[in-house]
Amino acid sequence: MMRLAALGLFLIVLTSCVSRMSDLPSYGVVPDFTLTDHRGADFHSATELAGKIWVADFIFTSCHGPCPRMSSQMKQVQDRVEANPDVKLVSFTIDPKNDTPEVLSAYAKRYKAREGQWHFLTGPMEALNQICRYSFKLGNVDGTLEHSTRFVLVDRKGRIRGYYATDEPDAVTRLTADIQKLLKEPA
């Protein structure tokens, strides 16, 4: 009888732990990186993003194609998560030659980026290529200005937990729902 009660208690504890974990897959870990933000300051992912849930995308400010749509959608994500300090947004430029911190700062203002929550990053082409191609598996940053139009969801432990095609009508809704799932996971 005592063993049955202990087994029952164990199953209750186990199911309560499992219910707190989301069903989102893990696609790998994003290594730490250092780039320059839209204020001209060093941005160290190890300090700025540690323990945070974050959404990444790759854009360039002079884009007349998908980038304005993507940045508008990122603004929708920002509005839906409000000023939650546990959620960050990170837009990486694929055009570091032209997207200087000053240009990125003006772009951030255009999309009403909340300071401290939505970061716009630039840096050496090689570093941006390393991050885009090898960390996020989204293709090359090589000067051609061709890039992925997907958002990437990263959890508190730096694991990629989802990809969202921004040309799908429910992308922002699915992304923000998955952010809420990650917010319920243990830190």
Side-chain angles (χ1 to χ4, degrees):
M1 186 67 155
M2 195 70 148
R3 283 186 179 169
L4 190 56
L7 179 61
L9 181 60
F10 173 75
L11 290 175
I12 289 170
V13 169
L14 182 63
T15 57
S16 70
C17 290
V18 170
S19 66
R20 293 189 326 197
M21 298 300 291
S22 72
D23 58 351
L24 299 175
S26 179
Y27 297 103
V29 176
V30 178
D32 292 337
F33 58 86
T34 299
L35 293 170
T36 303
D37 73 11
H38 60 280
R39 298 167 302 155
D42 285 345
F43 182 96
H44 304 283
S45 66
T47 55
E48 297 287 340
L49 301 174
K52 306 295 182 193
I53 296 163
W54 52 289
V55 179
D57 70 349
F58 290 82
I59 53 101
F60 63 105
T61 62
S62 62
C63 176
H64 297 292
C67 300
R69 178 193 74 232
M70 294 171 65
S71 296
S72 293
Q73 289 172 312
M74 191 71 94
K75 169 73 166 82
Q76 291 174 32
V77 173
Q78 175 186 257
D79 292 345
R80 290 183 185 190
V81 298
E82 298 175 355
N84 188 325
D86 289 331
V87 180
K88 303 287 184 182
L89 309 175
V90 182
S91 292
F92 297 87
T93 184
I94 62 156
D95 187 13
K97 179 180 171 188
N98 295 304
D99 286 345
T100 62
E102 297 79 19
V103 170
L104 290 172
S105 182
Y107 191 82
K109 287 178 186 162
R110 183 178 335 149
Y111 287 96
K112 298 181 171 96
R114 189 174 291 117
E115 192 63 43
Q117 184 172 36
W118 188 356
H119 305 274
F120 293 80
L121 304 181
T122 189
M125 180 91 62
E126 306 78 40
L128 292 163
N129 187 57
Q130 183 75 21
I131 293 165
C132 187
R133 181 175 183 167
Y134 298 107
S135 297
F136 290 106
K137 300 165 184 68
L138 291 178
N140 298 324
V141 175
D142 57 9
T144 63
L145 301 183
E146 294 180 16
H147 63 94
S148 172
T149 59
R150 293 187 285 173
F151 288 151
V152 183
L153 178 61
V154 182
D155 71 12
R156 297 176 200 270
K157 296 178 181 173
R159 298 175 299 193
I160 296 171
R161 301 296 293 277
Y163 291 94
Y164 307 82
T166 60
D167 59 351
E168 294 179 358
D170 66 340
V172 171
T173 301
R174 288 186 307 105
L175 173 57
T176 53
D178 288 348
I179 290 170
Q180 294 305 315
K181 288 179 185 178
L182 291 182
L183 285 168
K184 294 175 184 168
E185 285 187 355

